[in-house]
Every structure is written in structure tokens, then in C-alpha cells.
Amino acid sequence: MNTLTISSLRKAMRNLEEKGHYTTLLGIGPVSRNVIRASFECAKEYDFPLFFIATRNAVDLYEFGGGYLMGWNQKDFSSNIKRMAQEACFKGFMYLCRDHGGPWTREEEEKEFQFREKEAMDRAKLSFVSDLESGFTLLHIDPTRDPHVGMSPFNVVIDRTLEIMEFIEEKRKKSGLPSVGYETGTEDIRGGTTDPKAFRNFIDKFLNAVKKRNLSYPDFIVGQTGTLVRLCRNMGKFDLERAHELACIARQYGIGFKEHNADYLDPVSLARHPELGITAANVAPEFGAAETRAYLEIAEMEEKVNSNRIHYSKFRSLLTKIILESRWWKKWLPYDMQHITIEKVKQNSQLLDEIIHASGHYVFNNPQIREARNKLFENIRSFGILDDPNGYVLGKIKVHIEKYIKAFNLKGLTSLLLNTNQ
């Protein structure tokens, strides 16, 4: 499989920009096997680099509980991704990336256990070591969360980021592993926009500290552009001018500007991303919601079959039950709804639908859900409604990925990068 280092890829992208070709890279959250499959099919068809951005909730060490993505740890994730690439005959660029790696970035670390700083940092470091050993090439170091104080102040973010980077580099060199790219920043998960003066101040202080410790500059820095995903919509307000200003500041330091929470943005805003200088943008829950919605559409087809010859899967009711029994369904609620009860949710059919769509991917690996899905597909095939129900699901996911491919000007990018880098 062909590849370029992150820094070489960014250099090639800058060369393309000098020729008038602007692109925004797409970070795809690997929230399910089908999202990964759909990503390979799209990347093969449209010839663009794949960046799989795995959170610690999705993929992590077994000792921390693994992840909701098939229960995989980092080594499982790496080996399965490579196998799936071979099955798809994908030979383009592919990067395994850690998204939101750092202390308290697993849901239970922040919400349930509220570990003290040392234990939370030690767990984060162990997770990053496994990332390294499993072939991850871009690590997002995110020490912005702290259940004891809320969002961490700049100086604490810088100190914790440097501590983690030094630890990673020491382990990497001792093990003789290849260099990795870094992503950092001061993203506030509550939304809003990053103040340009504060952004520049953070970069100045951070890069000065990086130089003193003889560490590498980050490849990407994260800034808030006004986006905020809650349920199945972007409840933020994308600030075009602020995004451009932040991207220009990052560029002055030779760093790529990264946007998180680009899910569900309108097509016009997305299409402006390349010209605004947004180097990369992450999308994850939208793809999971697309898959969940596709399953529910098939379940509705099954429910319309009037026959006493089949055992109905009851997929929707089971999915609803398991989601509401899980801890995940509150993750994407607006902040003013965090204390809503299950009883209240059940009384609001529109809210319940949104919760199911937003949270479905967290429980796809549940044994009961897998069994019900298999039964659903068996019924749909036996009545001749769909010959390939999983193909139907993949098609629905691909529609959403293709939206970003078009908006971010990604088609043919891999070939262009290869030619530029020669």
C-alpha cells in the first residue's frame, strides 16, 4: 500500500495550492465495520487518502474495556483495517489516527470514575504507546478535559501536551518505531469559536516550549469554528470569517488547521472549506446515524410484510431498549437536556427517534443486536424485498461520505499528491 508521511502529504498539498488546487482532508470516524467498508469503496472509486480517526471510546486497550467498535483494541483495529483494505483491493493512502487521545477522554474516565490527574495521565500514556506499536501515524493529544475543574486552562493544556509528547517520543525512539505526526489544540467540546488572539498566543507559547524540549512541531492544530454536533444535527453556527482567520494564523506557523464536528453542516459551508484554508475536518456521528437510519428503514420494510410464516426480528424495539439501557444515549444530548429521564424521552417520539439515530452505532456489536440484524436481513431476503440488505446499508453510508468528497474537492487527490511528490 502506498503512503506518504503526514508532513510530506501536507507539503504536497501546499504545492497543489500554489497551482490553484485547494482541498480539505476528510477525517472519517470508524464507528462501525460498515462505515469502514463504505470508506474503502469511496476512496477506491474517488481516489483520495483515507484518514481513520479513532477515539478511545471506539478503540482502546482491553484493560480499559476495549472499544465499542467490535470490542477492538489498537492491534485489532490495525490488523482488521489492513485486512479490509486488502479485501477491497484498496491500494491508496491510508492513515490510522488517534482522535481525542489524552486524560479523561474515555467516557467513563470523565463521567463515572473521575480519576485524579496522575492516573488519568498514566492511562492516556499507555493508550498512546499501544497506538504507536499498532502503526498509528497521527496522534491527537487532547488534554483539555478535566472533570475536577471543567475545561483546562491554556497553560495546563500545554504542560500536559508536552509531557505526553515527551513520553511518546522516548518510547518511540527506544522501540525504533517510525516518526508520527501530532495534532493538538485548545478545542472546547462545548462549542463556540476560538478567539484569534488566544489562538495565536497558544501557538506561540506551545511552539516555544516545543523548541526548548527539542520536540517536533505538530502537523495539525485544532480550533473551534462554531460547529457543535448534538443529536443528529449541527446546532452550532459555522463562522466562515473566523474559520478563515484561524486557518491563516495556523498557516503562518506552518501548521495545518483542523476542524472537528463538521457533521451535518450545510453544503454551501462545506464547499467553502478548501478555499478558507481548512486543512482537514473530522466527521463521525453523521456516518453512524446514516447506518442506523438504513437499518431502521429495512426494519420498516419487514414490519409491512403481513405474514404468519416469519419470525419478525423486532429490530427497532430491541435497538431502542438496548440504547436506552446504555450510557451512550446522553452523549449527544444538548446541554440543557442532560438530566432528562428515560420516561420523558419515551413520551417524545421525535426526540426518541433522534436519540436512536445518534446512538445506534454504539451498540451495533451487542450480541442481541447482531442476532436481530441477521434475522432482519434473512427475512428481507426471503421475501424478495432486498437481495443484498447490507449493500443497501453501505449505499446509504456512501451517500453521506460522497457529500464530503465533493465539497472538499477530494476526487483524484491521491494521484495528484503522487505526481506532485515525485
Side-chain angles (χ1 to χ4, degrees), residues 299-314:
E300 187 175 349
M301 297 175 196
E302 179 198 39
E303 290 167 3
K304 290 180 178 178
V305 174
N306 185 16
S307 172
N308 57 12
R309 290 186 293 144
I310 65 169
H311 172 62
Y312 289 92
S313 68
K314 299 180 180 178

Side-chain angles (χ1 to χ4, degrees), residues 341-371:
T341 63
I342 291 177
E343 288 70 27
K344 289 288 186 182
V345 169
K346 289 179 178 178
Q347 293 169 13
N348 187 330
S349 59
Q350 182 178 345
L351 175 61
L352 180 60
D353 279 348
E354 284 200 78
I355 285 173
I356 294 169
H357 292 149
S359 310
H361 61 278
Y362 293 109
V363 300
F364 286 164
N365 193 44
N366 180 286
Q368 291 176 276
I369 294 297
R370 292 204 308 265
E371 182 179 351

Side-chain angles (χ1 to χ4, degrees), residues 217-329:
Y217 273 26
D219 289 286
F220 297 100
I221 187 161
V222 182
Q224 286 290 96
T225 62
T227 60
L228 178 65
V229 175
R230 287 292 176 265
L231 294 173
C232 292
R233 55 189 181 272
N234 205 308
M235 299 181 69
K237 181 176 174 56
F238 177 67
D239 191 327
L240 183 149
E241 292 183 3
R242 181 61 55 84
H244 181 57
E245 190 172 1
L246 297 177
C248 287
I249 292 172
R251 188 182 184 89
Q252 290 168 14
Y253 291 90
I255 303 172
F257 181 70
K258 188 89 168 290
E259 176 188 59
H260 288 188
N261 293 299
D263 310 66
Y264 306 111
L265 285 179
D266 64 275
V268 174
S269 295
L270 290 174
R272 297 295 301 275
H273 276 51
E275 67 184 72
L276 293 174
I278 299 173
T279 315
N282 288 356
V283 179
E286 180 178 342
F287 301 143
E291 182 172 1
T292 301
R293 192 173 293 109
Y295 288 135
L296 293 175
E297 288 172 1
I298 297 173
E300 187 175 349
M301 297 175 196
E302 179 198 39
E303 290 167 3
K304 290 180 178 178
V305 174
N306 185 16
S307 172
N308 57 12
R309 290 186 293 144
I310 65 169
H311 172 62
Y312 289 92
S313 68
K314 299 180 180 178
F315 181 85
R316 182 187 176 90
S317 60
L318 182 62
L319 182 68
T320 302
K321 175 178 179 292
I322 290 176
I323 285 174
L324 293 180
E325 288 175 352
S326 76
R327 69 176 187 270
W328 296 110
W329 66 274

Side-chain angles (χ1 to χ4, degrees), residues 21-197:
H21 189 279
Y22 295 89
T23 307
T24 297
L25 298 171
L26 174 62
I28 297 175
V31 299
S32 73
R33 292 177 71 103
N34 271 339
V35 168
I36 295 170
R37 288 192 186 102
S39 300
F40 279 125
E41 290 185 13
C42 285
K44 185 178 175 183
E45 180 178 354
Y46 293 100
D47 186 36
F48 68 94
L50 280 174
F51 285 76
F52 287 117
I53 51 159
T55 64
R56 289 184 61 204
N57 287 323
V59 175
D60 207 357
L61 293 164
Y62 288 149
E63 61 197 88
F64 299 157
Y68 66 78
L69 177 60
M70 305 301 296
W72 288 344
N73 67 4
Q74 289 92 321
K75 291 181 180 177
D76 295 330
F77 177 60
S78 179
S79 61
N80 278 284
I81 283 274
K82 291 172 183 175
R83 179 182 55 77
M84 292 171 75
Q86 290 178 338
E87 291 173 352
C89 299
F90 175 74
K91 298 178 181 179
F93 297 165
M94 180 178 71
Y95 301 88
L96 304 187
C97 313
R98 170 58 72 199
D99 187 35
H100 294 291
W104 300 291
T105 52
R106 280 185 68 94
E107 198 76 7
E108 70 274 13
E109 289 179 352
E110 181 185 25
K111 301 290 174 59
E112 296 175 34
F113 300 121
Q114 297 191 347
F115 293 115
R116 303 309 300 180
E117 180 181 4
K118 185 180 185 307
E119 186 170 4
M121 287 287 283
D122 286 346
R123 287 166 65 95
K125 290 173 183 177
L126 286 175
S127 182
F128 277 124
V129 168
S130 186
D131 293 347
L132 277 178
E133 294 172 345
S134 303
F136 284 50
T137 52
L138 179 66
L139 306 178
H140 175 204
I141 300 177
D142 177 13
T144 58
R145 305 183 193 189
D146 189 331
H148 307 290
V149 300
M151 300 304 296
S152 302
F154 277 13
N155 63 317
V156 174
V157 170
I158 290 173
D159 289 343
R160 288 176 180 164
T161 301
L162 292 169
E163 180 183 337
I164 291 172
M165 284 180 70
E166 285 187 318
F167 176 84
I168 291 172
E169 286 301 303
E170 181 183 353
K171 293 292 184 181
R172 183 185 67 77
K173 291 171 183 176
K174 279 186 178 179
S175 301
L177 294 170
S179 61
V180 292
Y182 290 103
E183 174 183 337
T184 187
T186 59
E187 181 197 21
D188 188 333
I189 58 173
R190 295 168 297 189
T193 56
T194 301
D195 177 73
K197 290 183 179 178

